[in-house]
Amino acid sequence: MLASLLTSLLVTMFLPYLAKVPLAFAMNKAGRYDNNNPRKQQATLEGFGQRANAAHYNSFEALAIFAAAVLITAQSGPVGSLSVTLGWLFVLSRVGYLCCYWFNLATLRSLIWFLGMACCFAMAIIALFV
């Protein structure tokens, strides 16, 4: 069970880089990818590029919360199937979140974000108090 939970963390670690692909596409479309000053270029993006940038950075933010939940779970003792299910549900929610950001589905994106965060906090609460 622990291996499956840690695998979900490994997959989540790759998601910010998956989210970088559409951002790099948008940056290229806006002229060229400015590797000397990419954050300055990203700040000028609009529409899809702006959403791709936000999705990219949010993926790092969510990774921190998920990593903490996984570490709390891993350190608390035997990992149960509910925690593993919550871990993989988080991964799925993040993929859905990215798609919603890219396709400008703001309300659905917010609901999916909430689901992913609920998975993280539920994992930590289960590990600490159940």
Side-chain angles (χ1 to χ4, degrees), residues 66-128:
F66 183 61
V70 169
L71 293 175
I72 289 168
T73 300
Q75 288 298 312
S76 71
V79 175
S81 61
L82 178 57
S83 293
V84 171
T85 300
L86 289 168
W88 284 106
L89 185 57
F90 175 81
V91 172
L92 291 174
S93 75
R94 292 306 303 171
V95 171
Y97 177 88
L98 291 174
C99 291
C100 287
Y101 231 137
W102 297 330
F103 293 105
N104 203 20
L105 303 170
T107 301
L108 182 58
R109 182 189 81 228
S110 294
L111 292 171
I112 290 173
W113 175 88
F114 180 79
L115 172 68
M117 290 299 107
C119 289
C120 293
F121 286 102
M123 280 177 47
I125 290 167
I126 290 167
L128 292 173

Side-chain angles (χ1 to χ4, degrees), residues 6-16 63 66 88 91 95:
L6 292 175
T7 302
S8 70
L9 178 57
L10 178 63
V11 170
T12 303
M13 290 167 58
F14 283 108
L15 290 179
L63 173 59
F66 183 61
W88 284 106
V91 172
V95 171

Side-chain angles (χ1 to χ4, degrees), residues 3-67:
S4 182
L5 184 61
L6 292 175
T7 302
S8 70
L9 178 57
L10 178 63
V11 170
T12 303
M13 290 167 58
F14 283 108
L15 290 179
Y17 303 99
L18 170 67
K20 178 71 174 194
V21 173
L23 175 56
F25 173 79
M27 291 169 72
N28 277 321
K29 192 174 180 183
R32 66 174 182 84
Y33 188 101
D34 183 359
N35 200 40
N36 291 320
N37 209 342
R39 292 189 185 209
K40 182 177 178 183
Q41 182 186 19
Q42 291 164 2
T44 66
L45 295 173
E46 296 179 358
F48 174 80
Q50 190 176 44
R51 292 191 312 274
N53 188 41
H56 170 65
Y57 285 107
N58 185 270
S59 294
F60 284 110
E61 295 163 2
L63 173 59
I65 300 295
F66 183 61

